[in-house]
Amino acid sequence: MAYDDTNIFAKILRGDIPCTRVAEDDHTLAFEDINPARAVHVLVIPKGAYTDWRDFAATATAEEQVAFTRMIAHVAELTGIAEKGYRVISNIGRDGHQEVPHLHMHVLGGEATGPLVDRS
Ligand code: 5GP
């Protein structure tokens, strides 16, 4: 899938629309989800134009991949959920119910996160 630079996270990265920033480094941005599903709900995104894991794993630099991984742990520490536990989710593609076609991780916690997936 070609990267669509009109997606909402691309607009956030360009500064076209605001976000509530949690943390940032040269390669990665973390910000609060606009519609939080748990007491803590932070989105972690690479600053590069990657649609999903296949794209990021195949084409991002090692430096970008390390920064992304470390930012997830950093966000858990910053938001105070690292000790009690939390969930990290990445929705990919149609079956994964990915709404925004820019790679992102949901970091959820601050309360029990519930079952892994809906089994109904
Ligand atoms: P997905 O279903 O693609 O994994 O999740 C996309 C997430 O982006 C959703 O949790 C949704 O609430 C969040 N989101 C959508 N639009 C915006 C926005 O404009 N700002 C922020 N901060 N989050 C957004």
Side-chain angles (χ1 to χ4, degrees):
M1 181 170 51
Y3 184 79
D4 171 11
D5 70 0
T6 66
N7 78 75
I8 203 82
F9 296 167
K11 290 177 181 172
I12 286 174
L13 285 166
R14 286 195 296 269
D16 294 345
I17 63 168
C19 71
T20 303
R21 193 173 64 88
V22 173
E24 183 172 8
D25 66 17
D26 288 348
H27 301 295
T28 316
L29 176 67
F31 55 98
E32 291 181 3
D33 195 291
I34 202 167
N35 183 25
R38 289 294 182 272
V40 172
H41 188 169
V42 176
L43 298 169
V44 178
I45 67 173
K47 290 184 175 177
Y50 303 106
T51 55
D52 58 24
W53 273 112
R54 174 198 271 167
D55 189 14
F56 190 66
T59 62
T61 65
E63 200 177 341
E64 288 175 300
Q65 294 181 9
V66 168
F68 192 60
T69 303
R70 289 185 172 156
M71 182 60 79
I72 293 164
H74 183 51
V75 163
E77 295 291 346
L78 280 178
T79 56
I81 62 175
E83 294 298 326
K84 290 188 79 174
Y86 56 97
R87 181 167 293 154
V88 180
I89 298 172
S90 189
N91 298 321
I92 304 296
R94 185 188 54 203
D95 282 359
H97 286 219
Q98 180 178 6
E99 291 172 8
V100 180
H102 182 114
L103 175 64
H104 53 283
M105 303 296 283
H106 298 255
V107 180
L108 296 147
E111 58 186 313
T113 54
L116 178 60
V117 290
D118 181 1
R119 292 178 184 267
S120 59

